[in-house]
Amino acid sequence: MASETGNITKDPAYNAVDPSDFPSMMDVNRYGARTTAFDKIISATHDHFWDPLDKKYIDFSQPFALDKEYLMDPSQTPDLKTAIGDKLDERGKIRLVNMNVHWSFSSILHGEQGALSLSASLCHILRDPGAQEYAANQTREEARHVTGFSRYIQARWGKPVAVGPALGNLLTELVLSPLVWKKLVGMQMLVEGLAMGAFATFYKFGRDPLMVQLCQLVMTDEAFHHKFGKIWADRTIPHLSKEEAEKIEDWAWEVFNVLLFNLASPDQKSWIYRELGLDPAWCQAAFLEAMTDVNIRKEMQEASNIFRVLVKTLLKAGIITDRTRGNYAAFIDMAELHAEGDRMIGDDIAEEGIRYLQQLNGGKGAFTLSSVAAE
Ligand SMILES: [Fe+2]
Ligand SMILES: [Fe+2]
């Protein structure tokens, strides 16, 4: 039932209070009412522990010739498939790709800060002690991601660039919302799903070994955060009223749109084009002209495409129904997606990373992500 505050709770593990209501946390009956749903994810954290400040795990002093080499395969920069690419010589293309990577990793860093702050806010809202321990644990993992990406950006460029308006507004809305469903659908499913797709792409197409290694280490944690969103969906979506389900479905589409049309859009990062001596308004027009639906759809067919992961997450969770299926079908082959198994795109990369960390941490091994997926 939707409460007065707008929360939609179908499983007691997600019972929520107002963020300012600390007194209800001291209710003596609360402490013993702890869900075991997240215990396996919480205990697994020691197995995949890593420390961005310890060279045993990652060494940020590895150099890279930013002005001479592409940080990632240029085939992954959409700008180069538009008229913008025709205006640049080889050196200009290297600069464009590497500035785009600077932009992407800055966006990821701001996203990690959003995930950190949002997980911490869940500790003030979720009433269940087991759910709180999960959220506190995720907060700790997001904090090392903030450290890791800060160190990478520092090593390559000195400092991050400002967040784009679309992502900045979305993250602010999610962090400040008192609604558990908005936080979980927005961050755990959409933003984290997008991040998994982005990390998989950087892992696959990155040409900087330090970047590739960092992405894999972060993925060993993110795969579990994604599972947390999935557990919520499994325990919530089937029990929603029609009105509640439609509210969540419509909101997911709204967020998807913001992410799809803004993340790669030149108007979110006009400083890059000015640096290259190009007119940002002209670049925006060239980009829009190239991004016809047909082109976008072709790009989406790539297995590692970041938006494909996102749509798969929503589809498998039951958030996309026939009401909005057509909206997404304009970009992605939904039938093909539906027929695929439950494995997510980054799971193999994450599992390989977890096995490596288990060895490094002196653990026992024999680990699969699916073994912690369900209670
Ligand atoms: Fe993260
Ligand atoms: Fe995360």
Side-chain angles (χ1 to χ4, degrees):
M1 221 185 119
S3 72
E4 291 166 353
T5 55
N7 263 311
I8 299 172
T9 311
K10 300 295 166 183
D11 183 301
Y14 302 98
N15 277 340
V17 300
D18 184 88
S20 63
D21 183 12
F22 181 68
S24 72
M25 294 300 169
M26 294 183 286
D27 174 354
V28 293
N29 296 314
R30 188 190 68 90
Y31 297 105
R34 183 187 184 287
T35 179
T36 55
F38 315 116
D39 287 357
K40 285 179 182 169
I41 303 185
I42 297 166
S43 347
T45 189
H46 299 285
D47 265 357
H48 61 99
F49 173 81
W50 60 284
D51 178 358
L53 302 178
D54 184 344
K55 285 187 179 175
K56 179 171 109 178
Y57 297 97
I58 187 163
D59 180 0
F60 287 95
S61 68
Q62 298 170 57
F64 192 91
L66 266 190
D67 50 338
K68 294 192 188 71
E69 289 176 63
Y70 288 104
L71 276 167
M72 80 182 301
D73 191 320
S75 69
Q76 297 301 303
T77 300
D79 286 355
L80 292 178
K81 293 173 187 156
T82 73
I84 302 167
D86 304 335
K87 296 253 183 193
L88 301 168
D89 60 10
E90 185 61 12
R91 204 174 154 267
K93 285 179 184 166
I94 292 174
R95 286 184 69 206
L96 174 73
V97 168
N98 293 352
M99 280 195 279
N100 261 315
V101 175
H102 187 190
W103 155 260
S104 296
F105 275 80
S106 301
S107 301
I108 288 170
L109 174 60
H110 297 304
E112 294 292 359
Q113 182 60 53
L116 190 169
S117 299
L118 184 140
S119 310
S121 78
L122 282 174
C123 295
H124 296 259
I125 294 173
L126 292 171
R127 204 171 179 278
D128 184 292
Q132 279 183 355
E133 189 172 351
Y134 169 82
N137 188 64
Q138 184 179 336
T139 306
R140 188 265 174 276
E141 292 178 357
E142 302 299 3
R144 75 173 159 233
H145 301 170
V146 170
T147 305
F149 286 111
S150 295
R151 291 297 294 268
Y152 180 70
I153 291 169
Q154 194 178 35
R156 293 292 173 261
W157 300 281
K159 67 186 255 198
V161 294
V163 72
L167 182 63
N169 289 337
L170 176 65
L171 292 174
T172 305
E173 184 186 351
L174 295 178
V175 171
L176 299 184
S177 171
L179 304 180
V180 174
W181 68 267
K182 253 193 184 185
K183 286 179 182 293
L184 297 198
V185 175
M187 182 61 76
Q188 310 284 349
M189 309 199 77
L190 288 158
V191 177
E192 299 259 10
L194 188 73
M196 273 305 264
F199 297 142
T201 303
F202 285 115
Y203 179 85
K204 195 169 158 197
F205 296 101
R207 292 183 178 178
D208 175 2
L210 178 60
M211 171 209 286
V212 171
Q213 194 191 0
L214 175 62
C215 286
Q216 183 168 34
L217 286 171
V218 172
M219 286 171 87
T220 66
D221 299 330
E222 299 297 4
F224 293 98
H225 306 169
H226 194 262
K227 298 260 177 255
F228 178 74
K230 192 181 176 301
I231 296 173
W232 172 83
D234 289 348
R235 292 174 173 226
T236 305
I237 304 295
H239 309 291
L240 294 173
S241 70
K242 190 168 174 287
E243 189 196 339
E244 291 165 343
E246 289 182 359
K247 196 169 170 184
I248 292 177
E249 183 172 11
D250 290 342
W251 192 74
W253 168 245
E254 202 182 302
V255 175
F256 178 82
N257 251 299
V258 169
L259 296 171
L260 177 69
F261 288 105
N262 287 297
L263 282 195
S265 177
D267 64 3
Q268 300 288 308
K269 45 179 176 152
S270 46
W271 62 274
I272 291 180
Y273 306 97
R274 276 195 293 271
E275 288 262 327
L276 291 165
L278 301 173
D279 172 16
W282 179 85
C283 291
Q284 176 69 13
F287 185 84
L288 288 180
E289 198 189 306
M291 291 292 132
T292 61
D293 281 5
V294 180
N295 282 330
I296 293 181
R297 189 185 296 165
K298 224 173 92 201
E299 296 267 309
M300 293 279 177
Q301 304 303 333
E302 264 284 328
S304 65
N305 184 285
I306 60 175
F307 291 104
R308 194 174 186 281
V309 185
L310 223 159
V311 178
K312 183 169 174 177
T313 303
L314 294 175
L315 187 69
K316 293 279 178 187
I319 291 176
I320 298 176
T321 70
D322 287 343
R323 283 179 67 242
T324 57
R325 200 184 171 91
N327 299 352
Y328 298 90
F331 312 105
I332 288 163
D333 185 339
M334 299 292 280
E336 186 189 291
L337 215 54
H338 209 257
E340 284 179 13
D342 277 341
R343 294 280 296 174
M344 291 307 290
I345 194 74
D347 281 358
D348 292 336
I349 305 167
E351 277 184 357
E352 187 199 77
I354 292 166
R355 280 194 296 272
Y356 169 74
L357 287 176
Q358 279 176 323
Q359 272 180 348
L360 214 54
N361 293 330
K364 294 195 186 62
F367 176 89
T368 57
L369 272 175
S370 49
S371 68
V372 295
E375 220 316 60

